[in-house]
């Protein structure tokens, strides 16, 4: 299966986990997904009152310079680990 197909399947699997992953896991998934699908951050950092937006932006910005392919593979691996530990609905 091609990496893009694995990436898309992992994204679908994450939406069907039995329970919500930890905030750290969610931020990691978000950052890897954005880096794998968009690339480096291309927006301004949210304002000081948007705590959730800033956390997501900072997580994504932490992946700056990582190739899309590497981010996709890490996302697939992270999703697989979550599916193994939490399970699917």
């Amino acid at each position: 299966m091609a990496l893009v197909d694995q990436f898309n399947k992992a994204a679908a699997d994450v939406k069907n986990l039995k329970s919500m992953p930890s905030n750290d896991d969610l931020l990691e998934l978000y950052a890897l997904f954005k880096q794998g699908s968009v690339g480096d951050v291309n927006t301004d950092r949210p304002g000081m009152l948007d705590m959730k937006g800033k956390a997501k932006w900072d997580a994504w910005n932490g992946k700056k310079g990582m190739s899309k392919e590497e981010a996709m593979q890490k996302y697939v691996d992270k999703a697989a680990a979550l599916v193994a530990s939490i399970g699917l609905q």
Side-chain angles (χ1 to χ4, degrees), residues 17-57:
L17 291 172
K18 280 186 182 176
S19 63
M20 186 70 80
S22 71
N23 284 338
D24 289 341
D25 285 337
L26 288 172
L27 282 173
E28 182 71 7
L29 286 169
Y30 174 82
L32 290 170
F33 183 85
K34 292 295 277 187
Q35 190 69 23
S37 57
V38 176
D40 288 343
V41 171
N42 58 2
T43 61
D44 293 333
R45 190 171 191 247
M48 63 186 251
L49 298 178
D50 184 1
M51 299 301 222
K52 184 176 179 181
K54 282 195 312 186
K56 290 167 69 173
W57 190 94

